[in-house]
Amino acid sequence: MPNRKYEALLSPLKVRNVIYKNRMLSTASTPHFLQGKEPYPTEKVITHFANRAKNGAAAVSINHFHTDNMPFPGRSIDNPPGHFNLFDINDYTCQNYLCQLIDSMHFYGAKANGYIMADPGWMYKDGKMPPPGGPDGPGGPPPMPGMPGGPEIEPQCTENDRERSAEDDNMFHTDVSAFTKEQLQNYVNNVAQEASDLKRLGFDIISLHACYRHSPHAMFASPITNNRTDEYGGSVENRNRLLIEMFTAMRKAVGPGTPLEIIYSVSEPGGYTVEDTIEFAKIADGLIDILHLRSGEMDPQHPLGFTSSEDSPAPYLEEMAKVTKAVHELGLNMVVAASAGFQNPDIANAAVAEGKADLIGMARSWINNPEYGKCVYEGRGEDITPCIRCNKCHVPNGKNMWRSFCSVNPKLGLEDKLERMIEPPKDVKKVAVIGGGPAGMEYARIAAQRGHKVTLFEASDKLGGQLKHADYPKFKWPLKQFKDFMIRQMDKEGVKVRLNTKATPEMITAEGFDVCAVGVGSSPIKPPIPGADGANVHFAVDMYGGPENDLSDSIVMIGGSDVGVETALYLCEMGKKVHVLEMLPELIMDAPHAHYKNMVHNYWRKEPNFTFNCGATVTSIDEGGVNWTDHKGNEHRTECKDVLLAIGSKPNTDAAYAFANCANIYHVLGDCDAPGAVAQAMKSGFGLASTL
């Protein structure tokens, strides 16, 4: 046996007639807007998934083989969550490109896994999605709040938000009691037909997505959504009867050698239990080959710093381990895959070695790490870029919501063209980088990798820039890991770092640098509000690392962006009471709305010291509090001793422009070009350094 650091994770596994070359799975996770609305995989998508196979994934999963209209009404530009890749499996062109996609995976020794997703349209002859309330309900979903024809958005406030739950945001539930047995048989037949079609195209594994109650077959399995009293309701066996019928038909359609996988919630809050899942495994023994376990709700399947911890980044592992142990002890003819938060190869390897899972499903690991598998094979876990768990690979917000996006991987979305965009360096240059934030560090890292001699100047005693605040709130541990990783890369790549050194144009000119890259950041904005210059008014971004201890216990935060909300929550953790005032109808509207926003909502709902009002306009500040009006013009006052500002920032363009004539090549990086999040900083640093 080879002696490797991640031996368990890299060990092969045979399932029916398929040999997985290792235990690392690439789960179905196409970044939104990776391509346009073409009903077939374009070269951009093919290259992306081929790279996952090249990178070491044992199996790569592809989903959305249908062309249903997703239930997101309104203009497409207003509803980017509706942008999924929808491949028309019945189209000749799509079939050809799917074969090219499969062949590219096979080229690298990876198996192709075809996902059959939630598709209620299969139950209907016209292929349309079922209306709310089941087949006999009214027409399609109504326009969403804020959309044309829909109701106005009522601004949030603490009083109407405390009792809100994740279930309030789930638009996919339908009434399973309304489905006739004829419709269910039609459903089974169509699933079997799709399984057969995927097999004929060359997919090695067929998987059925049946978790989160996001499809009729998943809703049947859950006591939360299944209230039937016939043979399809009640007991664990009855509630899973439809799934067993589907897999029986799928097995007949694909033959005995093809592994069949089910994606199944390990348990549900208020629904079925781990013990119920074990009972289901017994019922499915010999029929289902891979029991792929996920969380009970869709959003927590994509854990954040708010829903996981540095010590427990894969929060559902122990529940999944109970199922795996039972499957092993009972001698069932299936293996168990676990997913949700397995970015750290040490944790993934330990899970396999300790018998907590047989396979490890990962999504963001392959998105934010172009060389994840390579690092695992070479035993270099320390060189894997930490995922900051922002979930922007799903759908970012703001001006980037129409882009394929990863905060820490600037290559995402460019994989099919990078070789044409980047030329080899022609000579060795002496490079000065001014500013040790993420943009400066990424520029320094890439320039050094390209063989240049790089010196990074940082005015403070630490690298990190705006990321330094991540050292303090407990929920910012993913960002802290990323910041520390980038700092370590400076030493690894041989970047000469000069801390406590405020670079000047004269210094850079005198030292004879060929390149001057400036990333001196941005400065917070002070609004033209009477009283904003008061001694009790501070910037939120300055309240980390000591100054926060001097604040009183009653605080008003003006600005409910992610900066304002996260700073407020950090102060609440310290025992301070913070009231947030935001002009927009909702808090953190600049945060990703897919699999992110609702989890942060749920976090602040449990924090009694956190209160807020949206639709609020601040009219004045004084030493005793803040005066503001609501969206109807009613006047209010919130008493407090300290006021924090989090309403945006402006680029330090004057400071950056001062270095314009210090070297033959001059680049402006990150926030001092245009304020943005980590992704913009990384993109500017990577792109500009790649031109050297």
Side-chain angles (χ1 to χ4, degrees):
M1 290 289 292
N3 182 17
R4 296 181 290 199
K5 181 177 180 181
Y6 301 111
E7 186 59 45
L9 192 59
L10 295 177
S11 61
L13 180 68
K14 184 176 182 292
V15 181
R16 286 198 183 250
N17 289 344
V18 168
I19 296 177
Y20 290 84
K21 64 183 180 181
N22 58 52
R23 307 301 180 95
M24 299 184 295
L25 307 180
S26 167
T27 58
S29 51
T30 307
H32 282 212
F33 289 92
L34 192 57
Q35 68 173 48
K37 295 294 288 184
E38 298 91 342
Y40 55 86
T42 66
E43 189 59 35
K44 185 176 288 291
V45 164
I46 292 173
T47 301
H48 176 79
F49 286 108
N51 283 344
R52 295 196 193 186
K54 179 181 180 180
N55 198 9
V60 179
S61 300
I62 307 297
N63 59 353
H64 293 139
F65 300 109
H66 51 83
T67 56
D68 316 60
N69 293 320
M70 300 301 290
F72 293 96
R75 300 188 310 152
S76 63
I77 198 168
D78 296 320
N79 284 290
H83 184 283
F84 292 86
N85 288 327
L86 297 175
F87 302 139
D88 186 356
I89 196 173
N90 295 312
D91 178 76
Y92 294 130
T93 300
C94 180
Q95 293 162 8
N96 174 262
Y97 279 102
L98 282 173
C99 288
Q100 294 183 42
L101 172 57
I102 293 167
D103 289 347
S104 70
M105 298 176 194
H106 288 167
F107 183 88
Y108 295 110
K111 303 302 179 183
N113 186 354
Y115 267 34
I116 299 175
M117 296 291 291
D119 184 7
W122 285 331
M123 290 191 179
Y124 298 87
K125 293 180 180 179
D126 59 6
K128 294 180 181 179
M129 294 193 70
D136 299 324
M144 293 179 177
M147 293 292 100
E152 293 184 6
I153 297 178
E154 182 70 18
Q156 289 180 319
C157 66
T158 305
E159 289 72 23
N160 64 22
D161 190 69
R162 284 284 189 222
E163 300 304 319
R164 187 180 172 194
S165 69
E167 285 303 305
D168 296 328
D169 299 316
N170 196 329
M171 69 180 68
F172 295 102
H173 287 183
T174 191
D175 183 4
V176 301
S177 66
F179 296 128
T180 67
K181 293 180 181 179
E182 180 182 3
Q183 289 171 325
L184 295 182
Q185 186 57 54
N186 185 46
Y187 197 175
V188 169
N189 293 341
N190 279 281
V191 168
Q193 182 62 59
E194 179 155 1
S196 175
D197 292 343
L198 294 174
K199 171 68 175 176
R200 291 171 62 196
L201 287 171
F203 282 96
D204 307 286
I205 304 141
I206 308 300
S207 180
L208 180 69
H209 192 280
C211 54
Y212 320 139
R213 303 181 301 282
H214 256 210
S215 60
H217 48 275
M219 294 175 206
F220 268 85
S222 172
I224 296 174
T225 47
N226 185 345
N227 58 2
R228 294 176 73 115
T229 58
D230 61 3
E231 68 268 35
Y232 290 97
S235 67
V236 172
E237 181 178 6
N238 284 356
R239 284 187 279 106
N240 287 281
R241 186 178 302 278
L242 177 62
L243 286 174
I244 296 300
E245 291 177 355
M246 293 167 75
F247 274 93
T248 301
M250 289 166 63
R251 172 58 62 208
K252 184 177 180 180
V254 303
T258 301
L260 294 179
E261 177 185 53
I262 187 169
I263 315 296
Y264 200 80
S265 292
V266 64
S267 65
E268 300 177 310
Y272 63 75
T273 65
V274 170
E275 290 70 29
D276 291 338
T277 299
I278 294 171
E279 185 64 26
F280 169 66
K282 296 178 186 177
I283 297 168
D285 184 32
L287 185 61
I288 294 174
D289 304 298
I290 305 166
L291 179 58
H292 185 148
L293 299 175
R294 297 194 173 193
S295 69
E297 302 287 348
M298 180 177 64
D299 288 340
Q301 173 65 25
H302 313 77
L304 314 176
F306 292 96
T307 57
S308 60
S309 68
E310 193 165 11
D311 294 332
S312 181
Y316 302 97
L317 176 57
E318 295 310 315
E319 277 192 293
M320 296 171 184
K322 293 178 182 178
V323 179
T324 307
K325 180 181 178 182
V327 166
H328 291 174
E329 291 180 346
L330 292 167
L332 303 184
N333 293 310
M334 66 176 63
V335 298
V336 179
S339 68
F342 288 98
Q343 281 99 25
N344 187 324
D346 294 295
I347 292 173
N349 186 72
V352 177
E354 296 168 8
K356 295 181 177 180
D358 301 305
L359 292 163
I360 301 296
M362 296 179 286
R364 290 175 291 188
S365 297
W366 307 105
I367 294 171
N368 77 286
N369 273 282
E371 295 189 340
Y372 185 91
K374 181 179 179 181
C375 289
V376 172
Y377 271 99
E378 295 176 0
R380 298 186 292 109
E382 71 278 4
D383 289 334
I384 291 175
T385 306
C387 174
I388 65 173
R389 303 192 171 205
C390 64
N391 282 333
K392 292 181 179 179
C393 52
H394 204 298
V395 181
N397 213 341
K399 64 183 180 181
N400 294 302
M401 66 173 66
W402 303 278
R403 291 177 171 85
S404 198
F405 206 82
C406 174
S407 287
V408 299
N409 176 16
K411 296 180 181 179
L412 184 69
L414 302 174
E415 295 135 307
D416 60 321
K417 62 184 72 174
L418 271 178
E419 290 185 359
R420 303 192 302 272
M421 296 175 68
I422 299 176
E423 298 179 358
K426 297 178 180 179
D427 53 19
V428 177
K429 295 179 174 65
K430 185 179 179 182
V431 180
V433 181
I434 303 166
M441 288 192 287
E442 177 68 355
Y443 187 100
R445 181 171 75 118
I446 299 302
Q449 287 178 354
R450 289 173 63 80
H452 302 298
K453 297 179 179 179
V454 184
T455 302
L456 190 155
F457 297 86
E458 168 57 40
S460 72
D461 61 349
K462 295 179 181 178
L463 295 177
Q466 296 286 355
L467 303 186
K468 286 186 280 190
H469 78 279
D471 289 341
Y472 304 100
K474 65 181 182 181
F475 50 81
K476 298 301 288 185
W477 67 266
L479 193 60
K480 179 182 183 298
Q481 284 191 345
F482 171 70
K483 184 256 301 177
D484 293 343
F485 164 81
M486 290 297 292
I487 293 173
R488 292 195 303 270
Q489 291 293 302
M490 297 302 96
D491 182 62
K492 180 179 178 63
E493 300 296 345
V495 175
K496 183 179 180 181
V497 177
R498 292 165 63 173
L499 299 174
N500 298 305
T501 304
K502 184 174 178 58
T504 64
E506 295 75 19
M507 181 190 303
I508 302 303
T509 302
E511 295 192 27
F513 286 97
D514 302 307
V515 180
C516 178
V518 188
V520 291
S522 60
S523 300
I525 294 173
K526 182 170 289 188
I529 298 173
D533 291 322
N536 63 330
V537 181
H538 320 277
F539 291 117
V541 294
D542 295 332
M543 295 297 106
Y544 295 93
E548 68 271 38
N549 296 318
D550 297 327
L551 294 174
S552 66
D553 291 336
S554 60
I555 302 166
V556 165
M557 176 73 70
I558 300 177
S561 65
D562 57 350
V563 172
V565 168
E566 289 180 355
T567 303
L569 289 172
Y570 166 56
L571 296 173
C572 289
E573 288 180 351
M574 299 178 63
K576 301 179 186 297
K577 294 183 178 180
V578 185
H579 189 83
V580 179
L581 297 174
E582 168 58 47
M583 291 184 65
L584 296 175
E586 297 180 9
L587 296 183
I588 59 170
M589 290 190 73
D590 56 337
H593 35 266
H595 309 321
Y596 185 98
K597 198 171 180 179
N598 192 60
M599 285 187 277
V600 181
H601 283 182
N602 287 334
Y603 188 87
W604 77 52
R605 288 170 192 142
K606 299 173 184 176
E607 176 50 70
N609 289 334
F610 182 88
T611 56
F612 65 92
N613 282 91
C614 294
T617 301
V618 176
T619 55
S620 65
I621 303 169
D622 56 53
E623 62 182 12
V626 175
N627 298 305
W628 55 280
T629 59
D630 62 28
H631 69 293
K632 295 181 179 179
N634 300 315
E635 296 183 353
H636 303 267
R637 178 176 173 82
T638 301
E639 303 290 338
C640 67
K641 294 183 179 179
D642 287 297
V643 178
L644 301 181
L645 304 175
I647 61 169
S649 58
K650 57 183 179 181
N652 293 329
T653 51
D654 290 341
Y657 190 63
F659 293 88
N661 297 308
C662 295
N664 289 333
I665 299 175
Y666 166 68
H667 288 150
V668 180
L669 312 173
D671 282 1
C672 67
D673 180 35
V678 174
Q680 285 80 10
M682 296 294 288
K683 281 181 178 290
S684 69
F686 173 80
L688 291 171
S690 296
T691 66
L692 298 181

